[in-house]
Amino acid sequence: MAKRYWQEEIECASREQITQWQNERLVKTVKHVYDNVELYRKRMDEAGVKPEDIKSIDDLKKLPFTYKQDLRDEYPYGLFATPLKDVVRLHASSGTTGKQIVVGYTRNDLDIWDDIAARQLYAVGADENDFVHVSYGYGLFTGGFGLHGGATKIGATAIPVSSGNTDRQVTILQDFGSSVLCCTPSYAMYIAETLEKKGIDPKTLNLKAGIFGAEPWTEEMRRQIEEKLNIKAYDVYGLTEIMGPCVSYECEAQSGMHVNEDHFIIEIINPETGEPLPYGEKGEIVFTCITKECCPFIRYRTRDIGVVTNEKCSCGRTFVKMTKPQGRSDDMLIIRGVNVFPSQIETVLLKMGYSPNYKIFVDRVNNTDTLLVQVEMTEAIFSDTVTKIKEHEKALEAELRSLLGIGADVQLVAPNSIERSMGKAVRVVDKRKLIDVK
């Protein structure tokens, strides 16, 4: 590879330089949204804050939070800070839990997005000689276009496969020389399963790296993907509201994702009180956009739980790093008074040698919460006797109780019987919501 960084002068800038960029850009952005977005003007007026009160990132805590519900309430264009004539693309969420959220991009916004995706690709060892196989969905979802734009920016060959039709994906992997795979981690595992079923040795492919995100995944799952696809697996973080994929990106150290601090300010807050927390403490991740023109959201509460560290990285980049999200404050399951995250359950399953194909069912029976985990058996277990299968279920239940602190029922089901996802995997079915009386 010709160089280790896409923009070394930015990615390896001094802390003083990064802070100066953030100070200047925050001041400019706050005035931009105050002048052009009615909701921000109203919220700031109610909080007694004027744009001239914001002089540096030290004043960030004076500004009100932005919430996903705000995007739904202002649907579709109420939070746009630029005229619609300057908007060259729209993206939106799936809208599965209410009205979809809509964000817009100016031409400059798209240039920024391409640049931060290019940083991610260079960080995993890609350059103009690579073939970037994009299996994230194209369309209103940001995944496909995000990595596609980065691949084009660095001069690599983008292969816009999109999601689904896995047999065709495998053929393209074989015939087109794909070297970097971009998709959800659960779909990467499905591709690996398909290769195995077809008797295709992953070592015969040209793949060397994968960029996986859009859903939670564990270190155990990373190791499985790397082993089954014979690649290095890298994490990427993003969300529609802030930009799309590559808000932060993992480097060769694979020890957290560097936040693109020249474009986004990251905070960690106590999700209950909203108070900022110091580096190293776990809390809710909050982002402020400081270079976006159309939708520069201020102090956007992601609901993702994580940690930010400012320790020196071996790769030479100076941006702070955020951990892989460790659950979501709004997806956290409270079962019999205990906080349970799906990622905890996945950790146990993978540690015990099971596949990451599972479903979590939560219900309420006789006013008591119940927790059932369905997980696919391995082929070896599937051929065991009923008695042996029951023993495996009991062993898993014991491990889950040890980690979670509460009991969970385990049901081992036949291999390949749980539906695979071509995009984000849906792991949790909470039936309590159907019967609770509010």
Side-chain angles (χ1 to χ4, degrees), residues 1 5 13 143 156 170 215 226 293 318 353 370 372 375 395 398 401 429:
M1 193 174 70
Y5 315 101
V170 169
E215 65 186 18
E226 291 188 332
E293 294 175 338
T318 51
T370 63
L372 169 67
V375 60
R401 178 182 286 278
V429 178

Side-chain angles (χ1 to χ4, degrees), residues 203-237:
K203 292 179 181 177
T204 63
L205 303 178
N206 193 42
L207 281 180
K208 65 180 184 182
I211 297 173
F212 306 120
E215 65 186 18
W217 56 307
T218 60
E219 286 302 310
E220 289 81 5
M221 193 168 182
R222 186 208 296 268
R223 286 193 286 271
Q224 284 205 15
I225 290 172
E226 291 188 332
E227 180 183 341
K228 291 177 179 294
L229 288 177
N230 192 41
I231 60 173
K232 295 290 286 182
Y234 297 91
D235 212 346
V236 61
Y237 178 87

